[in-house]
Amino acid sequence: QVQLVESGGGLVQPGGSLRLSCAASGRIFSINAMGWYRQAPGKQRELVATITSGGSTHYADSVKGRFTISRDNAKNTVYLQMNSLKPEDTAVYYCKDTIAISRYAYDRDYWGKGTLVTVSS
């Protein structure tokens, strides 16, 4: 009923930039929190950044000052602008939205399938 599709990943050199997008589609009444997570090889999935419906943001310490999360409510899309990328940012990046599919439904978390970001020279 709800699909999240990420795009924008790829190979970039250290110090470079990428912009990830995640578009939600399907039966959506409202989207509350939106966020980005990542999972590096051999490691657990970790939070990168979140943004509330009111625009409040939160970042992991490791990305503060380098990454910026934003959202376009008209497009049901969340973005992650990543600057000054480092090799340790290499991971599969996943988006997660907290969505209500109707006025009377509880919020539920939906995940995208991920997009690979590789930072290497």
Side-chain angles (χ1 to χ4, degrees):
Q1 289 183 324
V2 174
Q3 282 190 320
L4 273 61
V5 179
E6 300 103 334
S7 60
L11 173 64
V12 63
Q13 291 186 341
S17 298
L18 280 176
R19 188 191 194 211
L20 305 183
S21 300
C22 173
S25 62
R27 187 180 176 188
I28 297 171
F29 175 75
S30 65
I31 302 179
N32 294 311
M34 307 174 90
W36 289 95
Y37 295 73
R38 66 186 181 187
Q39 187 166 17
K43 295 188 177 181
Q44 289 189 330
R45 190 173 298 188
E46 64 177 3
L47 180 147
V48 176
T50 60
I51 184 167
T52 67
S53 57
S56 296
T57 58
H58 172 77
Y59 296 93
D61 287 344
S62 59
V63 306
K64 278 181 182 176
R66 300 188 298 123
F67 290 10
T68 302
I69 189 170
S70 60
R71 61 191 286 169
D72 184 333
N73 293 326
K75 296 181 179 180
N76 290 338
T77 299
V78 61
Y79 304 96
L80 186 68
Q81 178 66 44
M82 305 186 293
N83 298 329
S84 302
L85 282 160
K86 305 175 181 179
E88 50 264 43
D89 294 318
T90 295
V92 177
Y93 284 71
Y94 300 89
C95 63
K96 185 186 81 170
D97 289 353
T98 303
I99 295 173
I101 62 171
S102 75
R103 180 185 299 275
Y104 307 104
Y106 290 106
D107 288 351
R108 187 194 141 182
D109 290 339
Y110 293 84
W111 290 87
K113 294 183 178 180
T115 185
L116 177 63
V117 172
T118 303
V119 184
S120 175
S121 55

